[in-house]
Amino acid sequence: MAKKSKSVVFDSNPGRNAQTYGIARELGTDLDLIHEPSVGVMGTKGDSQCYMGVQRKVEAIHEHLRSRLGRGEGQMPMRLVQPEYTVATSDGMRNGTREMRYSLIGREVTHDTVCEHLSASGLEGTIAVVACDKPPVGTLAALLEHNRPAIIMSDGPIRPGIDSATEQPIDIVTSFQVAGHPDADYKKRIAREACPGYGSCGGMFTYNTMQTFIGVVGMQPLDMVAPPSDDPRRLKEFPEQLVSYLEGMIKRGHTPRDIVGRDAIRNAVIVSMAVGGSTNVLLHAPEIARAAGFKSFSDDIMSPEEFNHLSQHVVPVLTDARPYGVYSMVDIDEKGGVQVIVKALMDAGLLNGDTLTCTGETLAEQVARLNTADVDGTVIYPVEKPYKPTGGLRLLGGNLSPDYSAVLKLAGVEGGLEDNRFVGRARIFNGEQALLDALEASTDSFNNNDMVIVRYEGPSGAPGMPEMLDSTSRLTTLCRERDIVVGLMTDGRFSGGSVGLVIGHVGPEAAIGGPIALLQDGDEIVADLNTNELNCTELQDANTFNSRKAAWEKEVADNDGVHPLCGEVNTRLLNRMRRSAVSAVYGAGMHPDRSLWVPEPRNDKKSGFVPQNKYRDGSQKAF
């Protein structure tokens, strides 16, 4: 049993005891247990379909947990806390609007809310049901900082819609990609049919990338990741299992930081590559690592050089999944779930199967217990004959990305990388709205090999680093219709549903004087995947760089220290993000004085392992 909290002051203070007794009566639990360690269930809520199934799962788990508490044989002698919920923003309804600035901020708000609940309630055991894509990361970060026994369960993905005219599966990304279509009735039909039912985005977008990540890192049972939100197991089978897993964690004294170690995070990053996952994983993994006690993701977990080595030479894409492929998470579930992907990578020697998970088993033991199937070859491919030969993500350095933060979703590139290089001319847009206006009014103005630059949309600049599913979807459709290549580079970020030659997280961001702020229309932009660099030819000249930098600094000085092209700040949250956001390479979160606060720092650098099999390229580099 977990260490009990001191309760003597509560025993002697009727005022503090009164409501605790009242809650116990209302919940129907033993009044004599009010001074025992507490357990509870929590969930994430918001204003979209993503969250519509959360409450019923929370209530089902809560009822099963309540039935397991008491002093009888086989029961847990603990106090029950009433369910708690956090609030978040829907990305799907805000993409392309200024409200999208609150999306990543929602991760931070969820983190703060969960932290307040866990700490103020003194919870010694927690089960969290999570939906959408930012709240799960904020929830996990708070659970890691609290570091008492806890488990996460995905609320589950939405099922695909069906186009009534073609009878083909469609989803929210389909809707964004038809935004420029001239037929209003067609656009209305797609919008009405794309998202039936409820659940979070169904492709391998950010939600399912991060749910897979949380499962592989050990904080969620693998078989609970992929089933859709309306799957009966989520109400009838999983609650009992979750309570049993939590009880086991409490008895063993296992905490989230026992589970989320260096090798577990590395496993999760590798699987993210193998599923062609969202670029947002490069924001969320550093924040998760920080909350787990690591000072630097690149120093303590995986360097950019190793990340690219793995993605270029070692880890292929195994899934034919939306947005770059055909199938949804529901299809992956029907073929055996994410554990099939984990098993395939583990059998190839690419994962450490000895990491601990919330079930009390190692990752390998959990995969074995689930009687995990082999890959089917249609939805999930074998490592030896993958869907795509290289991993889905690539980090870029160069003179436009000295932070080495720029990320390209290689799995989603549809053209333009002849000999692994793109050479184009910069077309500058100061803010996404300017780009959306141009795409609405003058699509003919975009030319083959343009590199669209969208800046002042970073963590501090926007503020809030909004994702750009609307603009990337319109560009994708434009390129397909005209058979051209238009790239997009930004200090903002992308939805997991974005495809095309799009490069995000370019840092340092424009708002703090990063090189992206110095670009001008017509500059030559070179993205070279042979060297993994993103460069501007003109900025290689020191005189040009210095003169442009001096002009930028004068604009800032003349505007009271904030560049006039930065977004307006009219709420306390936006002000907090502007003043405390760290670089994308550190997760783009809110941290005091821009320093990275790390709770109870740890250093697991020496806990890596060398796989028994060589990497597929024959190298022996340790992982």
Side-chain angles (χ1 to χ4, degrees), residues 171-427:
D171 57 25
I172 192 169
V173 171
T174 313
S175 300
F176 274 100
Q177 290 178 349
V178 302
H181 198 280
D183 187 337
D185 289 337
Y186 172 72
K187 291 192 289 187
K188 183 176 181 180
R189 188 185 81 240
I190 296 298
R192 289 171 69 110
E193 297 175 352
C195 297
Y198 56 88
S200 298
C201 286
M204 193 53 74
F205 314 150
T206 306
Y207 172 72
N208 283 313
T209 299
M210 294 317 301
Q211 290 310 311
T212 301
F213 188 105
I214 293 169
V216 175
V217 87
M219 285 296 290
Q220 174 171 206
L222 291 173
D223 57 326
M224 297 185 189
V225 174
S229 183
D230 63 5
D231 191 300
R233 289 174 290 177
R234 293 198 177 278
L235 294 175
K236 296 180 179 179
E237 297 178 21
F238 293 167
E240 180 179 3
Q241 295 171 23
L242 287 165
V243 172
S244 294
Y245 292 146
L246 180 65
E247 182 180 15
M249 286 187 73
I250 293 169
K251 287 180 177 178
R252 293 186 301 271
H254 284 162
T255 67
R257 286 196 178 194
D258 295 324
I259 294 168
V260 185
R262 174 182 182 267
D263 289 352
I265 298 173
R266 290 169 64 85
N267 281 344
V269 170
I270 288 167
V271 174
S272 298
M273 294 180 191
V275 298
S278 167
T279 52
N280 283 308
V281 76
L282 271 305
L283 293 177
H284 297 327
E287 173 62 8
I288 290 167
R290 180 209 60 79
F294 296 99
K295 181 68 175 177
S296 167
F297 179 85
S298 61
D299 290 341
D300 299 336
I301 307 295
M302 185 180 290
S303 69
E305 293 79 11
E306 187 184 8
F307 182 96
N308 285 337
H309 174 78
L310 290 168
S311 188
Q312 282 180 267
H313 305 295
V314 182
V315 183
V317 174
L318 302 185
T319 51
D320 179 2
R322 294 274 292 158
Y324 55 85
V326 174
Y327 298 102
S328 70
M329 199 64 166
V330 173
D331 298 305
I332 290 175
D333 181 57
E334 290 176 351
K335 298 302 180 182
V338 297
Q339 57 265 40
V340 173
I341 303 165
V342 173
K343 179 178 183 293
L345 293 167
M346 198 179 303
D347 289 347
L350 300 180
L351 299 179
N352 181 352
D354 294 332
T355 56
L356 180 66
T357 73
C358 62
T359 67
E361 305 157 304
T362 65
L363 187 66
E365 289 168 344
Q366 189 182 163
V367 167
R369 175 180 57 79
L370 293 172
N371 295 316
T372 302
D374 292 326
V375 300
D376 65 291
T378 300
V379 178
I380 306 171
Y381 284 63
V383 173
E384 297 75 20
K385 295 181 179 180
Y387 179 69
K388 293 192 176 188
T390 60
L393 300 168
R394 192 73 60 84
L395 287 169
L396 305 176
N399 69 7
L400 287 175
S401 181
D403 275 0
Y404 224 123
S405 60
V407 57
L408 169 68
K409 186 173 181 176
L410 191 57
V413 174
E414 298 183 348
L417 288 174
E418 287 72 24
D419 300 320
N420 286 321
R421 294 178 84 246
F422 171 87
V423 181
R425 291 291 171 182
R427 184 168 176 190

Side-chain angles (χ1 to χ4, degrees), residues 123-138:
L123 278 168
E124 287 292 312
T126 307
I127 298 172
V129 181
V130 294
C132 204
D133 57 346
K134 310 308 180 300
V137 181

Side-chain angles (χ1 to χ4, degrees), residues 426-428 455 518-523 548:
R427 184 168 176 190
I428 308 298
R455 61 192 182 189
L518 311 182
L519 292 175
Q520 295 181 1
D521 281 317
D523 283 351
R548 292 186 185 182

